[in-house]
Structures are given as structure tokens and as C-alpha cells.
Amino acid sequence: MKRADLYFALVVAAFFVPFFLSRTLYEGYQSFNAAHGMVMSFVKFSILSTMGELLGLRISSGHYFRKGFGVLPRAVVWGFLGMGISMAFVVFSTGVPAFAAYLGVDNPAAIMEGALSWGKVLLAFAISVTMNSIFAPVFMTFHKITDTHILMTGGTLRGLFSPIPMGEIMQGLNWRVQWEFVFKKTIPLFWFPAHTVTFLLPGEVRVLFAALLGVALGVILAVAARKK
């Protein structure tokens, strides 16, 4: 293991290990998370998903850091995206069971709150498919636009908050890769099953698990960046 990889592993361990060693710290986290869910969504995604992007950079370039990459701006963007994901979880995990009830499913909300069953798995899958079919393409495209804007403005916070030339960036996107790989492959083959597992978890840990999936997203972005 190279020294940079060891340092990265130590940073990740330093973030998680204390919660396993200290019950008081873990209970404090649970309490704050329950009282300030959106704030914690910002924190979780800004840290964990940015780590995923650094891992993706390591895979694509051999380095964890690169001038102009904009680690801090990316963390800020991921924080706000995380809040949007948290909102989407609430909207779709509530709305899909309500629509299932409208279609005649007997008490789907109770099924989702109950023990693991095939009915619960099917409902979780339905929530995942609906969310990733409607929300994910918009989310992924906007994330790509912000990434491009960060790179175009030198990876600075000041650049991040400058006006985003949306039309120019969208015109320059590689829509073939965006469709053929990001949308057509990663959404059904990875995000459908990954978020099915997410919606089978208790509500208080869903956003944390989704943020952990940001590490996987970093790898996906690295693979997509290599495609021409």
C-alpha cells in the first residue's frame, strides 16, 4: 500500500471508528441526527461523497489531489445535493406506498414499517425504481454541470459561487456517455438494487448509507471520465 493510500484509509477510519468505540458518541450522533436531519445530510454527504470523489480521482489519475480539482467546492456542492437526496427519500418513500395503496395494495405503509418480507422488498424496489427513474437523471446531470463549473473556475470557492453558464456547459457535455453509461447502465444495474437495500433500512440510517454509496459513486465517476 502506498503512503497516500494509507493516509486516506486512516482518515476514513478516524471518521468511523470513534462511533464504534464510544456508545456515548454514537447516541449523541443519533440524537442530533433525529433533531437536525437536513444538517446531518449536508455533513454526511459533504464528507463521505467528497471522499468518494477523491478515491475516483486516485483511480483515474493516480493521485488523491490535483490543482484545480476543488475539494472544498465539491464538498459544499455535495452538502447541498445531500439535502436534496434526503428530501427525495422522504418524498418517494412516502409517495410510492401511498400510490401503491391507491392501486389497491393493502396497507403498504404498514408493510414498509414491519418486518422483512417479500412484500417489503418489492415495495422498497418500487420506491428505488421510481426515485432513480425520475430524480436520479436530473440529479446526475446537475452534479455533472457543477463538477464542470468547478473545474472551469479553477476549483475555488469564489469560482463556485460565480454564475454557472448552464447552456454552455450542457452543450459541451458528453451526452453519449451520460446516456449509455451513467443512465442506461449505472441506474438499473447499480442504483436500483443499492437503493432497494437503502429503503429496507431503518429511516435514521438511510441517509448515512446513501452517503456511503458516494464512495461507489466516486468510482463510477472515475470510470465514466475515462470513457470517450
Side-chain angles (χ1 to χ4, degrees):
M1 178 183 291
K2 293 184 177 181
R3 182 175 297 181
D5 296 323
L6 177 60
Y7 289 158
F8 186 82
L10 288 174
V11 170
V12 174
F15 184 81
F16 288 105
V17 170
F19 293 97
F20 292 99
L21 298 180
S22 172
R23 183 176 181 84
T24 301
L25 185 62
Y26 180 68
E27 290 176 349
Y29 157 78
Q30 286 186 309
S31 176
F32 190 86
N33 187 64
H36 307 282
M38 293 300 281
V39 173
M40 288 303 294
S41 294
F42 185 98
V43 172
K44 293 170 194 173
F45 272 86
S46 64
I47 294 174
L48 295 174
S49 294
T50 303
M51 285 183 175
E53 289 217 53
L54 292 176
L55 181 59
L57 180 63
R58 177 74 169 90
I59 293 170
S60 62
S61 70
H63 303 283
Y64 284 107
F65 297 99
R66 184 178 63 196
K67 185 177 180 180
F69 185 70
V71 175
L72 190 55
R74 288 172 188 269
V76 172
V77 169
W78 267 119
F80 284 106
L81 291 176
M83 295 171 69
I85 291 171
S86 181
M87 178 196 71
F89 278 10
V90 174
V91 170
F92 287 97
S93 66
T94 304
V96 172
F99 183 64
Y102 174 77
L103 293 177
V105 177
D106 187 25
N107 205 354
I111 294 175
M112 288 303 299
E113 293 174 2
L116 183 64
S117 65
W118 282 113
K120 186 172 184 177
V121 171
L122 289 174
L123 278 170
F125 181 70
I127 296 169
S128 176
V129 170
T130 305
M131 186 183 76
N132 283 294
S133 299
I134 297 172
F135 174 77
V138 177
F139 165 83
M140 290 174 173
T141 301
F142 182 71
H143 178 243
K144 183 64 177 177
I145 290 170
T146 57
D147 271 1
T148 304
H149 179 63
I150 289 170
L151 293 174
M152 288 173 59
T153 54
T156 65
L157 274 176
R158 183 177 181 179
L160 172 65
F161 292 106
S162 64
I164 302 177
M166 298 289 288
E168 178 185 337
I169 293 176
M170 291 182 73
Q171 187 176 14
L173 291 181
N174 189 333
W175 288 105
R176 185 181 65 81
V177 171
Q178 192 76 356
W179 166 251
E180 292 290 341
F181 179 72
V182 179
F183 293 169
K184 199 166 78 171
K185 292 182 180 178
T186 69
I187 288 179
L189 299 179
F190 180 78
W191 294 112
F192 281 2
H195 281 141
T196 298
V197 175
T198 301
F199 288 111
L200 289 173
L201 297 172
E204 63 271 14
V205 298
R206 287 176 184 171
V207 174
L208 176 59
F209 183 74
L212 288 171
L213 290 175
V215 177
L217 178 60
V219 176
I220 290 171
L221 291 173
V223 175
R226 289 186 172 189
K227 291 182 175 289
K228 302 297 183 181

